Amino acid sequence: MRTELFLALRHLRPRRSAVSLITVTSLVGVILGVTVLMVVLAVMTGFTERMKQKLVETQAHFQIDDRAYVITDPSKIVETVKQSGGRACPVMQGPVLAQYKGSLDPGIMIFGVNAEDLKKQFDWKTILVEGELDFDNKGLIISRDIAMRWRLGVGDKVMIHSAKKLTGLVTFVKGGGVKLNDKASAYLPTEFTIKGIYEVGKYDFDRMVVFSDIDTAAELFNFDWGSASAVLGWSPDPFKQDKLLEKLKTELPAYRVVSWEEQNQQLLGVLAVEKRMMFFLLIFIVLVAAFSIANTLITSIYQKTREIGMLKALGMTDRSVTLVFVFQGFLIGLIGSVAGVITGSLVIAFRNDILALASRISGTELFPKRFYYFSDLPAMIVPEDVLFIVVSSVLLCTLGALLPALRAARLAPADALRY
């Protein structure tokens, strides 16, 4: 073992003195900084990955639609996607107004699709929690969230109003006001029977999406049977589908092909920026710990002035004296970083229990799923992030020790021994 490293370890050995107490305080600062950094980055990474997973589970990998019109013959597009190596199915989707027990719910999106296509694209054995996937006789599949909100169950009836037909009943008058549209005909809402209840686990999806047969949805929106508002597609790998999409854009120039990343570009961009900003802000915690280490070593130098003078009188060079205190800062950073990684891993492992306890103590829901879409707090430890945190922390702590180390190296042996 090098003499400098041996002396640095001796300085870190706990003793009943102010220097040891300050050293322990600096070590705790590094531990807390690394712990907070690791937990926050793991939560942000987990949140992003869980969001991507839920987006892929609840959305198609890509969507093909006509920019201005409904697709009258979606079978050709479906065949083109299959020949290109993907899977596809036509859908008819749009906003509707649900009427139940004398109440109205305007925030509903109906998703019309063939039952067989729906079984192929979703794991209904896991998703369907009650009833069965049956669209016969105007069957409707609703989410558990909607069922609780409407206080309805399997076998109950619900009326669905078409927003398009409702808005077509009246027209605007020049100068203000509205009047009945003479060209529109009166219509009755479509009565559906709830055949099943599902639960995906993504709050915004569960809160608004209901499923029905595609032809029933087309009739609801006053379109011909067999038509579709879009064709949804699935690729073998949703994260590596650029070549497939480029091929489809070439073969289907009259239609728009949009990937799930493009549809959620703003959300994914915000999450990426938030992760970078959180790291930038929280690294200041470690920076404060580095200043604390500098303060510790400055105090240590004044306390050990005579010892430093003795070492230099015995022949220790300025470089060796500098290395003693640089090693001391390095060791504090290394030990604190390792302990912080262990502490952070424990916090991440028990994060939901800690969150539940904090919610009970504060009396408020700290992670409401209506805002964050998930019922639990996601987290994902990325080895590259952990390595970057450890390297950054050790580097900052070592740099924090450099200035006091240079101050110690400048001490003259005679002056150090005399005073």
Side-chain angles (χ1 to χ4, degrees):
M1 180 184 296
R2 292 190 56 151
T3 304
E4 296 88 349
L5 183 58
F6 173 78
L7 290 174
L9 289 171
R10 290 285 295 177
H11 290 169
L12 290 177
R13 183 173 300 174
R15 291 178 180 177
R16 294 185 178 181
S17 65
V19 176
S20 295
L21 180 60
I22 297 173
T23 302
V24 171
T25 304
S26 300
L27 193 61
V28 171
V30 178
I31 294 172
L32 291 177
V34 172
T35 299
V36 172
L37 262 174
M38 184 174 173
V39 171
V40 170
L41 290 185
V43 169
M44 291 300 300
T45 302
F47 190 89
T48 302
E49 293 303 315
R50 180 79 69 84
M51 180 64 75
K52 289 181 179 180
Q53 178 186 352
K54 288 298 181 181
L55 289 174
V56 170
E57 289 177 356
T58 57
Q59 294 183 2
H61 297 169
F62 57 89
Q63 177 175 309
I64 303 172
D65 57 35
D66 194 309
R67 290 180 173 83
Y69 305 100
V70 69
I71 301 174
T72 56
D73 187 11
S75 59
K76 295 180 179 179
I77 300 177
V78 172
E79 187 61 30
T80 301
V81 173
K82 289 181 179 179
Q83 291 178 357
S84 300
R87 296 176 289 114
C89 70
V91 297
M92 179 64 71
Q93 55 187 353
V96 294
L97 183 68
Q99 179 180 347
Y100 60 97
K101 294 182 178 180
S103 300
L104 294 174
D105 190 341
I108 299 299
M109 178 74 68
I110 195 166
F111 194 99
V113 63
N114 292 322
E116 292 303 317
D117 289 333
L118 199 58
K119 290 178 181 178
K120 293 177 182 177
Q121 312 306 339
F122 292 93
D123 184 12
W124 278 98
K125 292 182 180 179
T126 304
I127 295 174
L128 197 65
V129 296
E130 188 177 345
E132 57 183 345
L133 182 59
D134 180 14
F135 292 145
D136 292 340
N137 300 319
K138 292 184 171 57
L140 192 71
I141 309 296
I142 66 174
S143 70
R144 176 178 284 176
D145 185 281
I146 295 175
M148 294 175 63
R149 194 166 72 242
W150 292 353
R151 296 181 181 179
L152 299 178
V154 175
D156 290 330
K157 306 289 186 179
V158 61
M159 304 287 250
I160 299 295
H161 296 264
S162 168
K164 181 178 180 180
K165 290 181 179 179
L166 279 175
T167 55
L169 293 177
V170 295
T171 57
F172 288 100
V173 179
K174 282 187 176 181
V178 295
K179 70 174 183 178
L180 291 175
N181 187 359
D182 297 333
K183 298 180 180 179
S185 58
Y187 86 99
L188 293 175
T190 304
E191 184 183 65
F192 287 86
T193 302
I194 298 174
K195 296 291 187 71
I197 298 175
Y198 76 88
E199 184 176 27
V200 171
K202 188 170 181 289
Y203 179 76
D204 57 337
F205 186 91
D206 288 347
R207 185 168 180 79
M208 62 184 299
V209 175
V210 299
F211 294 93
S212 75
D213 180 66
I214 184 171
D215 288 332
T216 304
E219 183 180 345
L220 185 67
F221 293 118
N222 206 23
F223 291 120
D224 295 332
W225 283 17
S227 60
S229 59
V231 173
L232 303 184
W234 287 262
S235 61
D237 187 347
F239 301 99
K240 296 178 181 179
Q241 58 177 0
D242 293 341
K243 292 183 179 180
L244 174 61
L245 297 185
E246 288 299 325
K247 184 177 181 181
L248 291 175
K249 289 177 181 179
T250 302
E251 296 184 2
L252 300 170
Y255 298 96
R256 184 179 64 168
V257 181
V258 184
S259 68
W260 69 273
E261 293 102 326
E262 292 172 328
Q263 289 177 316
N264 302 279
Q265 185 176 11
Q266 185 175 4
L267 174 61
L268 297 177
V270 167
L271 292 175
V273 170
E274 282 185 354
K275 181 179 178 180
R276 291 193 294 268
M277 287 302 299
M278 291 301 290
F279 177 82
F280 174 75
L281 294 175
L282 293 175
I283 196 66
F284 280 96
I285 298 177
V286 181
L287 190 60
V288 170
F291 277 106
S292 177
I293 291 170
N295 178 67
T296 298
L297 295 182
I298 290 172
T299 305
S300 177
I301 289 166
Y302 279 105
Q303 292 287 333
K304 299 181 183 299
T305 300
R306 185 179 297 274
E307 288 84 349
I308 294 170
M310 183 65 71
L311 290 171
K312 296 192 73 174
L314 292 173
M316 181 171 277
T317 63
D318 291 349
R319 177 178 177 276
S320 296
V321 173
T322 302
L323 285 177
V324 170
F325 293 96
V326 169
F327 277 142
Q328 193 171 343
F330 171 79
L331 290 172
I332 292 175
L334 183 61
I335 296 171
S337 297
V338 172
V341 169
I342 296 173
T343 306
S345 299
L346 291 174
V347 172
I348 293 170
F350 297 99
R351 64 189 182 279
N352 288 307
D353 297 326
I354 296 172
L355 187 66
L357 178 62
S359 297
R360 286 197 298 269
I361 293 174
S362 63
T364 58
E365 189 179 3
L366 299 179
F367 193 75
K369 66 178 183 179
R370 63 182 178 276
F371 296 142
Y372 299 103
Y373 306 132
F374 309 125
S375 57
D376 62 340
L377 183 65
M380 178 180 178
I381 299 176
V382 180
E384 290 80 4
D385 287 346
V386 176
L387 181 62
F388 188 69
I389 291 171
V390 171
V391 171
S392 301
S393 302
V394 173
L395 183 61
L396 285 175
C397 293
T398 304
L399 291 176
L402 186 58
L403 187 62
L406 294 174
R407 168 69 177 80
R410 290 199 186 100
L411 287 175
D415 293 337
L417 289 172
R418 183 180 301 117
Y419 300 107

